[in-house]
Amino acid sequence: MSVIKCLLLILIGLGGGLAVGSGLVAFITVLDIIPRLTQLTNAHRYIRLLEWALVAGALFFTFIDFFHWGVQLPVIVSSLYGIFAGIFVGTLAAGLTEVLNVFPILAKRIHMDGSLLFLLMAVVLGKVTGSLLQWLLHL
């Protein structure tokens, strides 16, 4: 591989990382994730600990992904982790769409005002079907 290709890959990787990282920080900052969590759990004195836990978790899982670390776990443990990770991502996405009013705006734009439930069910069934296909067919 030539030096120019390596430098281009480094530039693209750093640019993508900066874009995703700043998007995550903006997401956490705009939605006030940590302050809301401390407010709901009445743990104001642990706010710095929660912030550092978020940073440490992001770094830890970045290293896991970057260095391709893996652990062999029993199927039941992997299944439980998958279920809880899916619930976490689903509720995070639902919270984001609730805050931004994505679905009502989308329903209005595609002229489905009276059929918002059908739109939501289509999204949910599509996500579940896609996840099952990816999991079962190893896509």
Side-chain angles (χ1 to χ4, degrees), residues 30-101:
V30 168
L31 294 182
D32 288 334
I33 300 292
I34 301 296
R36 287 184 192 212
L37 180 64
T38 58
Q39 183 181 12
L40 289 173
T41 59
N42 199 15
H44 296 287
R45 62 180 182 240
Y46 298 116
I47 192 164
R48 295 283 180 225
L49 183 64
L50 289 170
E51 290 170 347
W52 278 107
L54 180 71
V55 170
L59 283 174
F60 178 71
F61 285 106
T62 298
F63 282 126
I64 285 176
D65 185 47
F66 189 71
F67 293 115
H68 303 288
W69 295 340
V71 177
Q72 296 294 326
L73 297 173
V75 174
I76 189 73
V77 174
S78 296
S79 300
L80 286 173
Y81 174 77
I83 288 170
F84 286 122
I87 290 170
F88 172 75
V89 170
T91 54
L92 190 63
L96 179 62
T97 57
E98 180 181 332
V99 167
L100 299 177
N101 293 325

